[in-house]
Amino acid sequence: MTTRKIQQIIDSVPASDGAGVRLRRSLGAADHGSLPMRADPFLMLDEFSSENPDDYVAGFPSHPHRGFETVTYLLDGHMLHEDHLGNRGDLKSGGVQWMTAGRGIIHSEMPQQENGRMRGFQLWINLPAKEKMRPAGYRDIQPSEIPAVALAGGGRAKVVAGTLNGTAGPIQGGSTDPIYWDIELPSNGFFSQEIKDHKTVYIYPFEGSVEIADRALKTHQGAVLGSGDRVEITAAADGARFLLLAAQPLQEPVVQYGPFVMNTRAEIEQAIRDYQNGVLAV
Ligand code: CO
């Protein structure tokens, strides 16, 4: 077995999206240079966390997506999503919305609270060319559907996608076969898990800090791990909580224009035309 090392650290940067929601973006941020940082098939990871309603209350009014999946994991707060087809879903603390935009969705994601803490993540996972134009679909996952696993080295993991120590999360398989774990470790706690070498692995501590193969990773810093078939993570003295994301890379060209992610420039132009003509998602 080879233990994976950190290949690249991606600092999250303050960003604003929707109608002015303040967030921290690591994957997908363009501030790092001319091209956004991605870790195939992961396109973007946003963390939002605030107790100030001015930072979130404007939400994400009606906007389109085509060509990928969005995964919203709400740790604290209450969010309502509605799409142009009349689908409606309530996202409460601890819940997940797994949306496959496919050929198109036009939706809004609006906070249903005017005070208190709003905290969570939105991850964008790319779809392969053959699935970019599939019909849109949703999974609204209730907190009770997300199993928690006690870890041998202390702490616990919530399993949103993939299987950990025999415990299966509600999302299984698919072309990128994603793993989405929320892992909490006590002071100096140790996490060790086999993850097949062909998968991209991304680690994002959002409380405390960790060490991976003797290299420190601070709060709000993401890390793309290098090749290997085992992931070993040690929490710092103050403990840590982090996302462990892994998935099968697509190795296809990525052409992105805002909320449209396709393989070619022509497909992006088509998406813009379809949106303008009101046929993005029909
Ligand atoms: Co959206």
Side-chain angles (χ1 to χ4, degrees), residues 50-58 76-78 93 111-119:
S50 180
E51 303 193 6
N52 177 0
D54 291 343
D55 289 343
Y56 60 73
V57 81
D76 298 292
H78 183 187
S93 298
Q112 298 301 296
Q113 64 194 72
E114 290 176 351
N115 52 56
R117 192 184 208 194
M118 171 79 113
R119 184 162 79 133

Side-chain angles (χ1 to χ4, degrees), residues 16-233:
S16 172
D17 210 337
V21 177
R22 290 167 61 92
L23 44 85
R24 301 191 68 92
R25 182 165 292 168
S26 56
L27 293 173
D31 307 48
H32 298 273
S34 53
L35 282 174
M37 305 299 298
R38 300 186 181 114
D40 183 16
F42 300 121
L43 301 164
M44 192 187 86
L45 179 66
D46 284 348
E47 174 189 10
F48 45 92
S49 177
S50 180
E51 303 193 6
N52 177 0
D54 291 343
D55 289 343
Y56 60 73
V57 81
F60 301 87
S62 183
H63 60 277
H65 294 283
R66 174 178 278 183
F68 58 101
E69 300 189 278
T70 72
V71 182
T72 309
Y73 178 28
L74 199 60
L75 296 175
D76 298 292
H78 183 187
M79 189 112 88
L80 181 71
H81 65 89
E82 290 179 283
D83 73 15
H84 71 294
L85 300 170
N87 295 309
R88 227 173 125 88
D90 233 354
L91 195 55
K92 299 222 170 88
S93 298
V96 169
Q97 185 206 50
W98 199 289
M99 184 184 87
T100 305
R103 62 166 290 128
I105 200 77
I106 299 165
H107 73 161
S108 62
E109 301 157 287
M110 299 301 289
Q112 298 301 296
Q113 64 194 72
E114 290 176 351
N115 52 56
R117 192 184 208 194
M118 171 79 113
R119 184 162 79 133
F121 298 93
Q122 188 167 85
L123 172 71
W124 289 10
I125 308 176
N126 206 0
L127 284 171
K130 62 180 188 323
E131 290 179 38
K132 282 185 179 293
M133 295 299 278
R134 55 158 280 184
Y138 290 105
R139 277 284 305 272
D140 281 315
I141 301 163
Q142 302 306 316
S144 59
E145 295 177 73
I146 300 172
V149 180
L151 299 170
R156 63 104 188 103
K158 288 191 179 175
V159 183
V160 175
T163 299
L164 176 59
N165 296 340
T167 300
I171 299 288
Q172 292 287 321
S175 47
T176 57
D177 193 23
I179 283 172
Y180 192 128
W181 298 335
D182 164 6
I183 298 174
E184 197 165 356
L185 296 181
S187 172
N188 303 309
F190 179 64
F191 174 81
S192 175
Q193 183 64 33
E194 184 183 352
I195 295 180
K196 296 263 184 279
D197 191 27
H198 54 80
K199 281 196 158 156
T200 298
V201 179
Y202 189 68
I203 309 292
Y204 186 85
F206 56 99
E207 291 176 17
S209 53
V210 299
E211 246 183 41
I212 301 171
D214 293 326
R215 199 166 163 195
L217 189 64
K218 292 185 281 193
T219 322
H220 311 302
Q221 277 188 325
V224 181
L225 302 193
S227 62
D229 47 16
R230 177 160 289 276
V231 174
E232 294 186 344
I233 299 174

